[in-house]
Amino acid sequence: NHPSAIKVSDGVSYPELVEKVNPDRNHPDFAKIRSGIYIFDMVVNEKGEVVDPFFLRGPEGGGEAYLKAVLARWRYKPALRGGKPVSVFITVTFSFSP
């Protein structure tokens, strides 16, 4: 629950990804990640930090929890409303092939 987070809309910019962390092939859960397209909902807070990524869809196999941890390490230039940073809800879609 993030009561201060808002949806990206008119007057609210989309956050800009500035640091993308990839899964570590040496991590024990890496082998659980299946090839395919993954969709996560998450909040990007006013500091550009990812908060509570939530797995929506994608190949299931046990790697979703590890991907959530990886997404939590991504960093964004925060969304802005009226020139001030705000927390926003976003949906991220990406493909993965180990």
Side-chain angles (χ1 to χ4, degrees), residues 11-31:
V12 180
S13 68
Y14 199 85
E16 179 184 334
L17 183 63
V18 294
E19 184 180 348
K20 181 179 179 181
V21 177
N22 291 313
D24 179 358
R25 292 186 180 277
N26 296 316
H27 192 281
D29 289 335
F30 183 85

Side-chain angles (χ1 to χ4, degrees), residues 8-77:
V8 175
S9 61
D10 290 341
V12 180
S13 68
Y14 199 85
E16 179 184 334
L17 183 63
V18 294
E19 184 180 348
K20 181 179 179 181
V21 177
N22 291 313
D24 179 358
R25 292 186 180 277
N26 296 316
H27 192 281
D29 289 335
F30 183 85
K32 296 178 183 176
I33 304 171
R34 304 287 179 248
S35 293
I37 296 174
Y38 289 85
I39 303 172
F40 284 84
D41 274 347
M42 58 191 186
V43 170
V44 175
N45 69 18
E46 63 280 346
K47 296 177 185 174
E49 301 164 335
V50 172
V51 180
D52 294 336
F54 178 78
F55 175 72
L56 288 176
R57 280 185 294 230
E60 295 181 15
E64 310 86 60
Y66 177 53
L67 287 175
K68 285 172 57 172
V70 171
L71 285 173
R73 295 175 53 208
W74 287 16
R75 293 295 175 261
Y76 286 80
K77 180 178 175 184

